[in-house]
Amino acid sequence: MVGGLMLAGQVVAETTFEDFSGDANARWTYVSDSVMGGVSTGTAGIIGQGLDAMIHLRGQVSTDNNGGFIQVRRRFSESWPDSVQGLRLTVKGNGARYHVFLKTPRLSRVWHSYRASFVAPVSWQTIDIPLDMFSPSHMGIPAMFSASEVNSLAIVAYGDDFEADVSVREISLY
């Protein structure tokens, strides 16, 4: 438990999900649209140590050849509490729009996810993304999900032709 957040007059616990310490490179995987014939290119990795550790995703997103994404994702088996109301990201970037993709075991296709977007400011900022802001990527996906079902989280540069450059220093659950 890291701290608390005041919501509707009550304190809700905040828990650090990822601070990119330890063996974070083993927990996070880079994926691009090249897995399906796209031509986007990029890199992702952990830079810094201790309180300065962060994941950095950068590259060129191209919608050519039916492409359009680069991402860094973490799959996990530990369940989030059902009481989780949202994600809190400490993030900086180049002012472009990025996305968080969440996956659950109920999603039948690898390209299905629940998605929310954020703008990565040029200096460090903490951004809250309530879970009710996530929407299904495709028709036929259940409209709602439980926090305890989430088993994958990705930071994604997606959907447009642009130069991606985003860093995340911490991801918390609130």
Side-chain angles (χ1 to χ4, degrees):
M1 178 110 42
V2 173
L5 170 72
M6 185 68 87
L7 284 178
Q10 70 184 106
V11 175
V12 177
E14 178 183 340
T15 304
T16 300
F17 170 71
E18 179 66 79
D19 63 5
F20 304 101
S21 63
D23 197 15
N25 272 317
R27 295 189 299 269
W28 291 86
T29 305
Y30 170 81
V31 180
S32 76
D33 58 21
S34 66
V35 299
M36 53 184 236
V39 296
S40 298
T41 59
T43 61
I46 306 300
I47 57 175
Q49 295 180 358
L51 296 176
D52 293 326
M54 68 188 83
I55 196 155
H56 186 205
L57 174 67
R58 60 183 289 173
Q60 192 64 44
V61 180
S62 172
T63 56
D64 290 346
N65 209 33
N66 295 317
F69 76 88
I70 60 173
Q71 71 174 311
V72 60
R73 73 174 174 217
R74 178 179 167 187
R75 294 180 178 163
F76 50 94
S77 58
E78 62 276 6
S79 294
W80 291 350
D82 274 329
S83 60
V84 169
Q85 299 294 306
L87 301 175
R88 178 166 292 137
L89 307 174
T90 304
V91 61
K92 75 173 181 174
N94 60 356
R97 180 167 301 281
Y98 296 91
H99 305 270
V100 176
F101 288 6
L102 301 177
K103 295 182 76 67
T104 71
R106 293 191 300 158
L107 301 177
S108 61
R109 306 277 190 234
V110 296
W111 55 85
H112 288 177
S113 61
Y114 293 95
R115 300 174 178 185
S117 64
F118 65 93
V119 173
V122 295
S123 58
W124 287 111
Q125 187 173 354
T126 300
I127 299 170
D128 287 351
I129 307 174
L131 291 185
D132 62 10
M133 295 298 293
F134 284 82
S135 56
S137 60
H138 295 80
M139 294 193 57
I141 295 175
M144 300 178 69
F145 63 95
S146 168
S148 64
E149 295 178 282
V150 175
N151 65 0
S152 176
L153 181 151
I155 306 298
V156 187
Y158 169 75
D160 290 313
D161 296 304
F162 73 104
E163 186 170 333
D165 190 350
V166 61
S167 296
V168 180
R169 189 167 56 203
E170 183 175 86
I171 302 170
S172 296
L173 310 174
Y174 66 85

